[in-house]
């Protein structure tokens, strides 16, 4: 159809306004601003900004935060002698639920719109108990955090969940997860929606770790970053050009199943010489136990646990040797990632990162020594500073990426409207899911 014959531009104008509204919200997410600041940063007129702000204030998503301190007159954007009034995101207009599932734990956090935790519950949980037991536990943890925070379920915009296995981006189903027997084909997004009655998005835990690091970590704002989660299994989230790289189905980043020695032992995935067959948590415990039985000098207890190895990583001679070797093996795999993607940073998180400097030093030495100079010179390899919070922060970031869209904005308005009514006690969780807002896959 020729351009001149296009129908009226009402939809286009609405889309432009929605885009400007989202840009404004994004600025306020990063910090308080005056109307004059927003007009300058977005290139809009004061009247256009005032119109959008009025709409957001009516919706309860934005509020005035008082006069700007220390700036007045023309510099403050108002009349001489007056300070500009700052606007702030109402971070508690709606709430988010973040779910972090690991091989041996389950965690649920209630977050505000800046992903600050308002209530949290973490319990030991064996993922091998299967979906039904896991969903039932997550319902209990969700009720607990809502009750603690005094927030009704109807004020929660969405649920974000990370799982320790590959997730099909299009369907939300787990696909042949080596560390999650009994979960193959399980649609976790649909299962959680049915259990919690809230729109849900699900992704691999390493992908969410990458989102957390670029949004909240020491490498905040990095556009090309790889997050390696090293724990019971080893996976990676790959961020390229500011977007998660998933591959055609969602399986990109399975660094733990790269063969670093094609003649090596068979790991959980069945691949000979895979990284996980050398450096996964349970393998390190087994290695340390075998060496102690063979006479290695050590102060480690008998029987030993992964926690023992982590606690004495830098003091016990056997533990140091085990961690140095694990770091070497991980570094070999990371060098492949560096040469393939040329990121600015590789961040190592997960439980194994608790081993600290001896582990990190070995990773750096092994990885950088095997990486082409052009890919190594500007690459940082660091331990995560987010520690155990990467999963819930990444889940929150995933939800924000979808709520700060035109469709998500309409949903935010609806949920925020509930919050502006009379205070309501936390509601019991329904057994029938509400209408879904999101497709079940992860972030774009």
């Amino acid at each position: 159809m020729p351009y001149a014959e296009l129908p009226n531009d009402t939809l286009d104008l609405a889309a432009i306004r929605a885009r400007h509204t989202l840009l404004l919200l994004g600025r306020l997410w990063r910090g308080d601003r005056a109307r004059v600041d927003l007009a300058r940063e977005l290139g809009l007129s004061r009247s256009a900004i005032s119109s959008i702000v009025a709409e957001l204030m009516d919706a309860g998503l934005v509020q005035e935060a008082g006069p700007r301190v220390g700036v007045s007159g023309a510099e403050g954007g108002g009349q001489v002698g007056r300070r500009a009034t700052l606007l702030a995101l109402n971070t508690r207009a709606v709430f988010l639920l973040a779910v972090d599932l690991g091989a041996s734990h389950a965690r649920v956090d209630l977050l505000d719109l800046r992903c600050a935790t308002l209530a949290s519950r973490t319990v030991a949980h064996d993922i091998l108990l299967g979906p039904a037991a896991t969903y039932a536990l997550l319902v209990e943890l969700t009720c607990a955090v809502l009750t603690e925070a005094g927030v009704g379920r109807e004020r929660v915009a969405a649920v974000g969940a990370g799982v320790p296995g590959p997730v099909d981006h299009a369907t939300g189903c787990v696909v042949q997860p080596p560390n999650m027997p009994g979960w193959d084909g399980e649609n976790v997004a649909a299962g959680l929606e049915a259990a919690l009655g809230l729109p849900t998005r699900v992704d691999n835990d390493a992908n969410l770790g990458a989102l957390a690091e670029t949004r909240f970590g020491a490498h905040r704002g990095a556009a090309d970053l790889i997050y390696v989660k090293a724990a019971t299994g080893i996976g990676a989230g790959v961020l390229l050009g500011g977007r998660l790289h998933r591959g055609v189905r969602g399986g990109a980043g399975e660094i733990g199943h790269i063969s670093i020695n094609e003649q090596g032992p068979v790991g959980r995935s069945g691949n000979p010489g895979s990284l996980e067959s050398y450096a996964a948590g349970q393998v390190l415990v087994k290695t340390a136990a075998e060496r102690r039985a063979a006479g290695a000098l050590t102060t480690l207890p008998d029987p030993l646990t992964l926690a023992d190895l982590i606690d004495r990583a830098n003091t016990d001679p056997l533990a140091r040797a085990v961690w140095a070797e694990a770091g070497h093996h991980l570094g070999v795999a990371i060098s492949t990632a560096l040469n393939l993607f040329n990121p600015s940073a590789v961040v190592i998180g997960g439980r194994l990162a608790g081993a600290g400097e001896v582990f990190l030093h070995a990773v750096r030495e092994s990885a950088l020594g095997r990486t082409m100079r052009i890919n190594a010179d500007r690459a940082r390899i660091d331990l995560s500073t987010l520690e155990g919070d990467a999963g819930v922060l990444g889940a929150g970031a995933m939800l924000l990426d979808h709520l700060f869209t035109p469709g998500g904005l309409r949903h935010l308005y609806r949920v925020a409207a509930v919050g502006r009514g009379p205070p309501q006690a936390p509601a019991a969780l329904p057994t029938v899911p509400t209408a879904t807002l999101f497709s079940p896959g992860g972030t774009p």
Side-chain angles (χ1 to χ4, degrees):
M1 177 185 298
Y3 179 77
E5 298 177 19
L6 287 173
N8 68 68
D9 60 356
T10 302
L11 179 60
D12 290 340
L13 292 176
I16 291 170
R17 181 178 176 86
R19 174 64 175 165
H20 288 156
T21 301
L22 291 167
L23 288 171
L24 189 152
L25 277 175
R27 294 300 198 283
L28 293 180
W29 188 88
R30 292 191 287 273
D32 298 351
R33 283 167 168 77
R35 290 171 177 82
V36 66
D37 302 325
L38 294 167
R40 182 179 63 253
E41 292 174 16
L42 299 181
L44 298 176
S45 68
R46 291 286 298 275
S47 61
I49 289 294
S50 294
S51 174
I52 294 171
V53 167
E55 179 181 293
L56 289 170
M57 291 181 71
D58 286 344
L61 290 168
V62 169
Q63 57 196 9
E64 291 189 338
R68 192 201 309 266
V69 177
V71 180
S72 62
E75 185 181 356
Q79 298 174 4
V80 174
R82 294 181 57 190
R83 293 189 177 94
T85 299
L86 290 174
L87 299 170
L89 178 70
N90 180 6
T91 59
R92 299 194 181 187
V94 304
F95 301 90
L96 312 173
L97 275 170
V99 175
D100 177 24
L101 278 177
S104 58
H105 79 276
R107 174 175 172 178
V108 175
D109 280 27
L110 183 70
L111 309 177
D112 70 12
L113 279 177
R114 283 207 179 100
C115 297
T117 291
L118 307 176
S120 179
R121 290 290 187 279
T122 304
V123 297
H125 175 67
D126 187 351
I127 199 74
L128 300 185
L129 292 174
T134 300
Y135 298 150
L137 174 62
L138 294 176
V139 168
E140 293 178 14
L141 298 180
T142 296
C143 287
V145 297
L146 291 177
T147 299
E148 178 183 333
V151 171
R153 184 199 61 84
E154 68 282 353
R155 296 191 61 197
V156 177
V159 180
V163 298
V167 176
D168 187 314
H169 177 51
T171 66
C173 292
V174 179
V175 181
Q176 291 185 328
N179 299 315
M180 299 171 64
W183 287 78
D184 185 26
E186 174 67 19
N187 190 319
V188 180
L192 281 176
E193 285 187 352
L196 301 177
L198 290 164
T200 301
R201 295 196 71 85
V202 175
D203 205 346
N204 171 264
D205 54 1
N207 283 342
L208 296 188
L211 288 180
E213 290 295 338
T214 192
R215 203 70 55 85
F216 303 102
H219 296 279
R220 187 175 309 180
D224 297 277
L225 175 146
I226 295 175
Y227 174 82
V228 177
K229 183 173 182 182
T232 302
I234 304 175
V238 181
L239 196 77
L240 299 177
R243 296 172 65 87
L244 281 174
H245 176 72
R246 304 177 176 283
V248 68
R249 195 176 177 189
E254 290 294 342
I255 194 172
H257 306 295
I258 292 176
S259 292
I260 60 174
N261 175 9
E262 63 184 19
Q263 305 300 326
V266 175
R268 287 192 179 192
S269 65
N271 298 328
S274 67
L275 174 60
E276 283 194 5
S277 67
Y278 287 98
Q282 71 279 0
V283 173
L284 302 185
V285 172
K286 180 181 178 182
T287 298
E290 290 173 347
R291 293 186 183 178
R292 181 181 50 205
L297 180 64
T298 183
T299 60
L300 290 168
D302 187 10
L304 65 88
T305 65
L306 182 58
D308 298 324
L309 273 178
I310 293 172
D311 290 343
R312 305 189 191 188
N314 293 279
T315 57
D316 180 82
L318 175 56
R320 284 183 64 86
V322 169
W323 285 113
E325 290 180 16
H328 169 83
H329 295 309
L330 180 56
V332 172
I334 287 176
S335 71
T336 299
L338 289 173
N339 282 323
L340 280 174
F341 300 116
N342 187 207
S344 63
V346 176
V347 182
I348 304 170
R351 197 173 180 196
L352 302 194
E357 189 58 34
V358 63
F359 182 53
L360 178 61
H361 176 76
V363 172
R364 286 173 171 166
E365 187 175 63
S366 174
L368 297 177
R370 288 170 168 77
T371 302
M372 292 182 66
R373 181 177 175 183
I374 192 172
N375 296 322
D377 278 353
R378 298 185 183 179
R380 290 282 306 276
I381 302 176
D382 295 314
L383 299 178
S384 175
T385 58
L386 300 179
E387 299 180 340
D389 294 331
V392 293
L393 288 173
M398 171 176 64
L399 293 180
L400 290 177
D401 285 348
H402 287 273
L403 291 171
F404 281 25
T405 63
L409 185 61
R410 291 190 292 272
H411 182 64
L412 280 175
Y413 279 12
R414 288 193 293 270
V415 179
V418 173
R420 292 168 68 81
Q424 300 186 36
L429 295 172
T431 57
V432 179
T434 59
T436 59
L437 167 68
F438 305 132
S439 62
T443 57

